[in-house]
Structures are given as C-alpha cells and as structure tokens.
Amino acid sequence: MVINFKKLNPLGFHLLKLFQDPTIRQIILFGGSSSGKSYSVAEVFLLMSLFEGKNQLVMRKVGASIKDSIYASFKAAAEHLGIADLFQFKDGIKVIKCKENGAEIKFKGLDDSEKIKGLESIKRVFMDEWNEYEEKDYKQMKLRLRGMKGQQLVFAFNPIKETHWIKKNVFDKEEWHDVPMEVELAGVKIPSQLTEVKSYRMNAPKTMMHKRTGEIIEHPSDMAVLQTTYLNNFWVVGSPDGTYGYYDDQAIATFEHDRIHDPDYYNVYALGEWGVIRTGSEYFHAFNRGRHCKPIEFDPSLPIHISVDNNRLPYISYTFWQADYSNGIQLRQFHEICATSPDNSAKKSAVLVAKYLRSIGYQDKIYLHGDCTTRNSNTIDDEGRSFLDKVISTLTEMGFEVVDRVSKSNPSVPMSGEFINAIYEFEFPDIRIFIDENCATSIEDYMSVQKDPNGAILKTKVKNKITMQTYEEHGHLSDTKRYIVCDILNTQFMDFSNKRKRNLYAKDNLIQFYNPGTEHTYNAELVYCMPNVANKFVMVHGKKCGELWHIVDVAFFETSSTEDIKQRLNAISCSPTYLEAGRPYYPFVRELRSEVEYTIKVLPEDGDIDRRIAATSDFVKTSIKFNDAKMADSEEYAAFMTSLLDYNKDSQNKEASAVLSGFIKVAVKFFSNG
C-alpha cells in the first residue's frame, strides 16, 4: 500500500505505526477540539481495513448520535483519501464493508456495558467521546475484547474534568514516560515536522509472573497516550511547508477570542488540558483559577482551621485553612480530604484528618467549623453521638485539642455566595481568598457548582448505577468554604448582608434599624411565635415606639422540644404572647397557660403564608426597625435577619418572613391607632 502523506495529519502517522504494533493494547487520544482525533482514526481505520482485512468496531455511548457524527466522519475520510469506491456504505445499519476483502467497520451505541459481546472477530474497537462512558463500560470492554492476536482499544475525548474517572483511575494510576515522536513506516522515516503532536507518552513496563509457568517476566509498555491541539491539524493551520491542508482563519480567530475572553474554555477545547468548562451560571462565578489558585504551603506559625461537610456521599468533605492577618486578611486553603467509602464515617474520616496533621508536624489547636446539622440527631452514629461529637472525640483521642467553632445556624446560601464572589471581585480591598493548586477536587467543585434560580447552590443528584445510591455530585466542598469564610469574616459578612438589596423588604438597599443605645419610650409590646417552621422555632419580640415597632429580640433555632420553647417564652413573659400553631400543640399551650401569669393566645396556622408576607411587606419597610447591635452579638438574631433578607416566593427561606408577617398582622389589627 502506498499512501500519500499529504492526506494525513501527524496523528494519522502515529496511528499507522501503533496499529501495526501487537504489543500496544490501548491507544488514548485526548486534546482540544479541531485537533483531528476522530477524523484521523477514521482515516486509519479505513486504511487498516484494506491492509489487514479484519473487522473493526466504532462505538459512541449514545447510538442515536452515530449517524450524524462519527459515521459521517468515516464517509468524509474515505472521500478525502480517494478510496470511497473501495467500500460499501450501508447507511441503514451503519456498516462500512470493504469490497476488496469483506472486512467490516461496524458502528454501535452502548447503553449497557453488559451488551458488549461477540468481540472475538473484532481486531480493533474505537470508543469515541470516551468521557461520556462510565468506568464499568471501559472495564467490560477490556475483558471482552479477546480471542485474536494484536487486538486494540482506541479512545478519543476532550479532557473536561480533572475529577473524571479517566483522570483518576487511568491516567493517575500509571507511570508515564515521554517517547520520541519519530515515525518510520515501511523503512521510510516521516519528516519530523509532520509527526509532532503536543505530547506522546507510554506507560511503564510491568514485572509480572507467568500464570502457567510461574516465571518472572517483563510485560512491555502496552498503552500509548497522544495529546493534540488544533495546531496539530493541518486542515486548520495548514501544512508546515504551506503546500497542502487548509488555513482556517475563522476557526483560529475563534480560538484566539476564547484565549482572551474565556481562558478556561480555551484551556480545554483549544489546548486540550484538563479543566472545567464554565457555563455562566456558576455559584462562584467570580472564582478564577488563574487568579485565585497558587502553590500554598502550611505555615507552622499560624493555627489551622478545618471546615467539614458531613454528607457521606460521594464523600465526607474536609478543607484545611489558615488566616493570615499580617497584611490585610488572607484566607488560604492549603489541603483537602475527601473521605470516600470505606472512610466516609465520622470516626474514620477524623482519623484521616489526624494522620494528615501528624504528617505535617502540627500539634497546636484545631479550630473546627462546618455544617450546623453535624450536631443534629439525623447524623447520629451507631455509638449514639452526633457526627460532630464523634469527630471531636476522635481527634481528641489522637492527641489534638479541638475548638468547636461550628455555628448554631448555617449562613444563607445565596448571601454567602454573593459575599465570597464580592471578595473575589475585590469589593473588599484588604481581603483575599487563595486555594492551593493541588486541591484539585475543591477547585473542580468551586468551578463546577451551579446556582439555582434563587441564588442558592444547585445540587444536582446523580445515581451510582452499581450501588443504586443517589447523592449530590457537587457542592459539598463549596459548602465547607462558605462555612469557614462566613465564620472567620463574620463581621464583614453581616455588614455585607445588611446592605445588600435582595428582596421585597429592601428599600434603597437598606432595611431600617434603630439605635439601641438611645432611650426609647414604648407604649406596647407583643410576642409572636411559630413553633415549627421548617423544623425551627421562630419568634419575634417587638415593642411599639410611637407608630413604629422595634424588634428587640428574636428566637430562631431548631428544636423538637417544647421545653425549649417554654423556657424562651418564660424568659420574656410578655402579655400578649401569640402562638400560631396546629392542633398538636394545643395540649402544650394548655399546660403552659396553667403555669404562667402572662397572656397566651393561640391562632390557627395560616394556609397561605406567601400571601400574608406579600400583604405585610410595605409595613416592614415603613414601620419596622431592627436592632443592628443585636445582629453582631446574637447568632440567632443574625440568622433571623439572613433568613429575612433571603426570602422570595420560590425560596425555602420563609421562617423569619413568616413569623414577622404574623406579628405585623396582629400589630395592625389590635395595636393600630387607626
């Protein structure tokens, strides 16, 4: 066979060589778009059909996409090579048959890895868009492709996510070495400028024992990895000598535009590097990998803050931080632990934390931050203690002093996201957040997690098809960042929250506050509470000052105990105290009335809270004032205000708005001068 080299890209020459090497089992092609990966495979598959007379298989994960994608590429490649008349194209069943020797190239979709059968007569399988497959598809294909000498698997994909199973379980599991890009075919050395790709590597040989004889043998390198970019495609940039190919100035202009305006997209689709593609609806939209990631080492002179999210699937998340106040405020994440099964329990994950701290020689206090639900009964383990208690006790047993900094309530998801984005966008000149470039899972999470219509984190659920467990794929590491940033920068966060226009209560970007340091004359007071709003007890204690109401105190905490409610109401002992509740709370009210001297009145639950909130919103703007100082001193007051500022009709943050609207309804009906 004589081949006109002006018909091939550099990748085509390498494939011609590798396809004739029986020691090579797997050939991985990855890189940018327009780099000629799939098209080069199509050309060389056609040539090998003529040369070998063996059957070959081309696969896509979804069969419906074959006809207009990879099958069309094979037809175009045959026309380009001038060999279309040597093949019969059976479009209906998507088979290409060589007229010279009967060899077939079959095209199939893969919707179930168990359907990979009958590969004994297949010499070579091409899995296009490899990143769309599941790992079990890959494992099954390796097992099923057998029965013929020199069988090969070929893969092509764009490296979108660093946390993808291909990166973690294929690329990172092998030892790689660079190999020369020289190609010699039929005794002729191809000019080097025609064979250069971005990178060419092979895996290391392995020492193995022969399963039959017990002899120690050397298994040669059997995997080749070639990385390409659009610069390696002569039908985008033209041939080195300018005599063939095609210079596509429109395509090149598009890549250059992305290089300047969308570097993440350019990094993946032009340069073929591992990365994450931004969609424009990211929760941390201002996070920039180039600007906010750098090498960060543990500083022995600073204490360590650890933030934890206790979702067990896909992993329990720990991020390790230090706060440097020497020049403004720098929050630096220097490590991460993603405790997957079997380490995704409170104790086992804490052991991983302790082992890491010992490895860096840390012996000082640990400041532990995280999800407030780690204290709750829904995270109780088999020893009867909460997740947080279990983590703290394990770390203590292993010799560390732990300072519990887990807040009683989590920061508002939309507001904390806006706050962190504002830091990234330099709205706070003296505050910076940096992430160590080796925290790959964190970075991928920070870049990937999306924002829902209400500004919260969109935690899309996925199902593990082996365990059939459903879990949220992204957002857990992002949550740890939210917790610790809002804890350490609590003063700045609350100031930012109060001034941010968010909802129907905002007026000129500010809700109204009164000065608690000034003496006020009050002519009435009222307590209004709801015992169970999204599993929280919420209460408003207001005092009337002229025509205005000052919200002097609130309650905002999760509880399943009526005793907690009783203690809080008795501490105020306000007449009247209104309780909006369902029938299950009536016995509690009767008992409470028998014990106290202040007046308690019960109102039935309102069936349309959103309508009541909308009707009372103007009163909030004009006649309600809040205690600014109380927000700084009381976590409950701050959490109440955060919930209030986060309210919109479609959100879940209705607790504060619900109780405040009930308070206003009673205040207007029974305490209005009109």
Side-chain angles (χ1 to χ4, degrees):
M1 184 186 297
V2 178
I3 301 172
N4 180 356
F5 71 84
K6 291 188 176 183
K7 297 290 186 179
L8 300 179
N9 269 320
L11 196 53
F13 292 109
H14 290 289
L15 291 174
L16 276 174
K17 178 182 177 181
L18 291 168
F19 283 3
Q20 297 179 71
D21 186 345
T23 67
I24 301 300
R25 175 69 168 177
Q26 299 182 60
I27 302 167
I28 301 173
L29 314 175
F30 80 104
S33 64
S34 300
S35 63
K37 300 184 296 295
S38 298
Y39 194 82
S40 293
V41 172
E43 288 186 315
V44 182
F45 260 49
L46 290 164
L47 294 174
M48 296 308 290
S49 288
L50 288 166
F51 182 64
E52 295 175 326
K54 302 293 185 181
N55 295 331
Q56 300 175 102
L57 176 63
V58 178
M59 304 195 78
R60 290 289 297 269
K61 179 65 175 177
V62 180
S65 65
I66 288 175
K67 182 178 180 181
D68 297 325
S69 56
I70 189 63
Y71 183 74
S73 294
F74 270 73
K75 295 181 74 172
E79 293 288 346
H80 175 68
L81 292 171
I83 58 175
D85 60 331
L86 302 178
F87 292 89
Q88 179 184 3
F89 295 89
K90 301 179 180 180
D91 295 350
I93 58 174
K94 293 185 285 295
V95 172
I96 300 174
K97 185 172 184 178
C98 180
K99 296 177 182 178
E100 301 295 310
N101 52 38
E104 292 183 331
I105 302 175
K106 299 178 181 180
F107 295 78
K108 288 186 178 181
L110 178 66
D111 54 4
D112 184 349
S113 58
E114 292 301 318
K115 293 182 180 178
I116 305 174
K117 297 178 180 179
L119 301 182
E120 292 82 2
S121 64
I122 301 296
K123 177 65 180 291
R124 200 168 286 109
V125 177
F126 175 40
M127 300 179 76
D128 194 26
E129 302 292 351
W130 192 27
N131 54 289
E132 295 180 357
Y133 294 81
E134 298 174 37
E135 186 175 9
K136 68 174 184 176
D137 300 330
Y138 169 63
K139 290 181 175 180
Q140 282 293 313
M141 189 63 73
K142 288 195 298 179
L143 291 173
R144 300 291 179 89
L145 189 64
R146 59 183 185 269
M148 182 189 304
K149 182 179 179 181
Q151 288 176 303
Q152 294 177 318
L153 291 166
V154 186
F155 312 94
F157 71 104
N158 295 107
I160 295 178
K161 296 197 325 182
E162 285 190 272
T163 55
H164 198 283
W165 67 263
I166 295 175
K167 175 72 163 58
K168 294 191 296 183
N169 297 337
V170 180
F171 278 64
D172 293 347
K173 292 291 178 66
E174 295 283 344
E175 294 182 20
W176 302 97
H177 61 273
D178 293 327
V179 295
M181 297 184 188
E182 299 175 351
V183 176
E184 185 176 303
L185 295 169
V188 177
K189 183 178 179 180
I190 309 299
S192 60
Q193 65 268 31
L194 303 183
T195 60
E196 290 181 0
V197 293
K198 185 171 184 179
S199 68
Y200 182 15
R201 296 178 295 166
M202 296 190 72
N203 64 338
K206 295 178 176 63
T207 301
M208 303 171 62
M209 186 177 69
H210 195 285
K211 295 297 183 183
R212 182 172 56 82
T213 66
E215 179 185 1
I216 303 299
I217 58 174
E218 193 79 6
H219 182 73
S221 301
D222 60 2
M223 297 177 69
V225 175
L226 294 101
Q227 183 183 17
T228 55
T229 75
Y230 72 99
L231 298 173
N232 305 130
N233 188 346
F234 297 158
W235 277 262
V236 174
V237 297
S239 66
D241 61 5
T243 62
Y244 65 98
Y246 175 68
Y247 186 86
D248 191 335
D249 54 354
Q250 293 291 344
I252 292 171
T254 298
F255 283 125
E256 281 299 296
H257 180 273
D258 290 337
R259 182 180 66 83
I260 297 170
H261 299 287
D262 194 346
D264 293 316
Y265 194 90
Y266 178 81
N267 192 53
V268 172
Y269 281 109
L271 302 183
E273 297 293 343
W274 294 97
V276 175
I277 302 302
R278 312 302 292 271
T279 66
S281 59
E282 284 76 21
Y283 178 74
F284 292 124
H285 60 82
F287 176 71
N288 183 293
R289 184 173 188 163
R291 221 172 25 236
H292 302 121
C293 298
K294 63 180 183 178
I296 296 175
E297 295 183 357
F298 159 64
D299 185 342
S301 68
L302 297 174
I304 289 179
H305 296 257
I306 299 175
S307 187
V308 58
D309 183 90
N310 61 314
N311 284 280
R312 287 177 165 81
L313 294 174
Y315 41 69
I316 294 176
S317 309
Y318 292 90
T319 51
F320 295 69
W321 300 76
Q322 292 185 298
D324 186 352
Y325 298 91
S326 61
N327 183 20
I329 304 175
Q330 281 195 12
L331 300 185
R332 301 193 291 256
Q333 180 186 342
F334 65 93
H335 189 60
E336 65 183 8
I337 288 179
C338 300
T340 56
S341 179
D343 296 315
N344 57 340
S345 67
K347 183 173 182 178
K348 289 182 178 180
S349 65
V351 169
L352 296 181
V353 171
K355 287 182 177 179
Y356 170 72
L357 293 173
R358 286 176 176 174
S359 74
I360 61 175
Y362 188 73
Q363 298 178 335
D364 207 343
K365 293 179 181 178
I366 302 168
Y367 294 88
L368 187 62
H369 308 254
D371 188 345
C372 70
T373 64
T374 57
R375 304 182 187 277
N376 294 349
S377 57
N378 61 354
T379 54
I380 295 291
D381 64 17
D382 55 2
E383 294 185 15
R385 288 179 288 177
S386 72
F387 180 95
L388 181 63
D389 289 338
K390 190 70 173 177
V391 168
I392 292 175
S393 65
T394 302
L395 291 172
T396 302
E397 290 167 6
M398 298 186 73
F400 294 97
E401 181 181 352
V402 181
V403 179
D404 180 359
R405 290 286 178 85
V406 176
S407 297
K408 294 181 181 178
S409 61
N410 290 334
S412 156
V413 181
M415 188 63 73
S416 57
E418 287 192 26
F419 177 60
I420 293 171
N421 281 317
I423 294 173
Y424 284 140
E425 291 174 331
F426 307 111
E427 289 188 30
F428 296 85
D430 297 329
I431 302 176
R432 295 287 183 271
I433 300 174
F434 293 109
I435 314 298
D436 180 64
E437 60 187 17
N438 292 317
C439 295
T441 308
S442 293
I443 293 170
E444 194 268 328
D445 197 78
Y446 302 158
M447 294 182 71
S448 298
V449 71
Q450 300 291 295
K451 182 170 60 176
D452 73 11
N454 300 313
I457 290 177
L458 178 65
K459 294 186 176 179
T460 305
K461 292 184 180 294
V462 298
K463 178 180 283 188
N464 185 309
K465 294 187 177 180
I466 297 176
T467 65
M468 302 307 291
Q469 292 175 306
T470 301
Y471 58 88
E472 295 164 346
E473 183 179 17
H474 291 116
H476 310 297
L477 288 155
S478 292
D479 278 337
T480 69
K481 180 164 71 169
R482 292 193 309 106
Y483 303 144
I484 196 163
V485 170
C486 294
D487 282 350
I488 294 178
L489 302 174
N490 183 258
T491 301
Q492 295 89 338
F493 173 56
M494 294 311 305
D495 183 62
F496 177 87
S497 300
N498 297 338
K499 294 179 180 178
R500 205 70 162 182
K501 181 177 181 180
R502 290 205 52 81
N503 61 10
L504 77 171
Y505 297 127
K507 179 181 180 182
D508 299 326
N509 293 336
L510 285 169
I511 53 179
Q512 295 188 77
F513 296 94
Y514 70 92
N515 184 355
T518 302
E519 186 174 340
H520 299 284
T521 300
Y522 295 116
N523 53 9
E525 68 175 320
L526 164 67
V527 165
Y528 194 95
C529 62
M530 300 173 70
N532 186 13
V533 187
N535 297 318
K536 288 187 180 67
F537 170 65
V538 287
M539 177 203 75
V540 170
H541 181 198
K543 294 185 178 183
K544 191 177 183 187
C545 181
E547 293 302 311
L548 302 176
W549 283 89
H550 292 180
I551 306 303
V552 296
D553 199 7
V554 301
F556 192 85
F557 60 90
E558 294 190 13
T559 181
S560 57
S561 169
T562 54
E563 188 63 32
D564 292 339
I565 297 173
K566 182 190 298 185
Q567 289 180 8
R568 185 61 65 90
L569 295 179
N570 288 344
I572 300 173
S573 298
C574 173
S575 292
T577 291
Y578 282 83
L579 192 75
E580 180 183 338
R583 289 187 178 277
Y585 284 91
Y586 289 1
F588 162 69
V589 174
R590 287 194 293 269
E591 177 186 345
L592 186 59
R593 281 173 172 165
S594 68
E595 297 176 0
V596 303
E597 296 182 358
Y598 57 90
T599 302
I600 301 174
K601 299 185 178 182
V602 180
L603 296 175
E605 291 180 309
D606 195 315
D608 193 345
I609 293 292
D610 289 312
R611 185 169 180 267
R612 187 174 80 186
I613 292 171
T616 57
S617 61
D618 285 340
F619 194 90
V620 175
K621 298 175 185 178
T622 59
S623 303
I624 298 289
K625 288 192 174 185
F626 298 92
N627 187 332
D628 197 8
K630 193 84 171 179
M631 293 178 63
D633 298 334
S634 168
E635 288 187 4
E636 282 188 47
Y637 205 108
F640 177 92
M641 294 302 296
T642 296
S643 173
L644 185 71
L645 289 166
D646 270 349
Y647 171 79
N648 64 57
K649 188 174 181 180
D650 298 320
S651 76
Q652 301 300 313
N653 297 303
K654 298 184 180 182
E655 303 98 325
S657 299
V659 73
L660 185 62
S661 65
F663 174 93
I664 293 169
K665 186 176 178 180
V666 169
V668 171
K669 184 174 182 179
F670 297 110
F671 294 87
S672 173
N673 292 336

